[in-house]
Amino acid sequence: MKQRFLGLVDETLTRYDADGIELDFCRTPPFFKPHQAFKHVEEMTAFMYQAQEVVSKHSRTRGRDLKLLCRVPSSFDATLEAGLDAECWIKEGIVDLVAISSAGGLRSENDVARAVAASKSSDTLVYVGSGGTYPASPQNGYVDGHPSVRHAIAHNAYCQGAAGVHLFNHDYANSRAEPILSGDFSD
């Protein structure tokens, strides 16, 4: 399976003039059978080293710097429980950018400060991420799609040392406040 995904990274960078690759670890966990993730932490770190080597190979071929970005869950503890040592990937500079994110919506609590601390030993840039917007957050009692909430989360992340905000799936029908027009507009 690892070779298949590494092949997809290589094929994508061979066929397209991309600036790099994003590996999304928020979309489809679990990656391993129940209670087996801890056994695979080192294997996943080795995979990330291999993915970075593929990206670096294409950087050398093109004569320009390509990037490896990974999108990981908001909690490093939860990430580690999933078999992914994102904190290690940041400390060792395996990834160029990391988006501390969620599968859906912006989270007000995340490990941006911990990621920024880990990045002190590397050149990894840390972003706070979002997996789309939703109309309301019944758990926290606020509308997390509201601009003031998004601005506050971004501001807090910047105050903790984040390099930016990573927006994911923010241009789909459920994220738009206005109605979506349909029909043929080619005239």
Side-chain angles (χ1 to χ4, degrees):
M1 185 65 85
K2 289 187 311 180
Q3 292 309 313
R4 177 176 174 254
F5 282 105
L6 291 170
L8 290 171
V9 170
D10 187 48
E11 179 182 358
T12 300
L13 293 176
T14 299
R15 296 178 73 182
Y16 303 100
D17 187 25
D19 292 325
I21 289 290
E22 177 177 344
L23 299 178
D24 182 0
F25 293 104
C26 288
R27 274 297 178 164
T28 56
F31 305 104
F32 306 103
K33 292 179 182 177
H35 313 294
Q36 300 296 311
F38 282 115
K39 295 179 183 179
H40 297 282
V41 170
E42 289 180 19
E43 183 180 349
M44 287 301 289
T45 297
F47 168 80
M48 292 302 292
Y49 269 114
Q50 292 172 316
Q52 181 56 262
E53 183 50 42
V54 171
V55 173
S56 295
K57 175 186 83 169
H58 285 277
S59 290
R60 290 188 298 273
T61 301
R62 291 187 188 174
R64 66 183 177 96
D65 197 23
L66 303 180
K67 303 292 185 190
L68 176 61
L69 180 148
C70 69
R71 184 169 166 256
V72 296
S74 299
S75 163
F76 276 165
D77 294 335
T79 301
L80 194 56
E81 287 177 8
L84 313 170
D85 193 352
E87 194 167 15
C88 168
W89 305 347
I90 296 168
K91 282 180 183 174
E92 295 185 16
I94 301 169
V95 295
D96 300 300
L97 306 106
V98 63
I100 308 300
S101 191
S102 66
L106 283 163
R107 290 182 47 109
S108 58
E109 294 182 24
N110 53 59
D111 279 338
V112 169
R114 193 167 157 186
V116 168
S119 74
K120 298 297 182 199
S121 63
S122 71
D123 292 327
T124 301
L125 296 175
V126 176
Y127 289 75
V128 67
S130 165
T133 57
Y134 297 95
S137 173
Q139 297 86 7
N140 296 318
Y142 61 80
V143 177
D144 80 345
H146 193 276
S148 64
V149 174
R150 291 193 307 257
H151 294 166
I153 291 169
H155 175 76
N156 288 341
Y158 282 123
C159 288
Q160 294 174 54
V165 177
H166 177 268
L167 300 177
F168 185 89
N169 275 359
H170 277 265
D171 190 32
Y172 64 97
N174 293 342
S175 292
R176 296 185 191 125
E178 56 274 344
I180 299 182
L181 303 174
S182 60
D184 183 10
F185 298 101
S186 59
D187 295 350

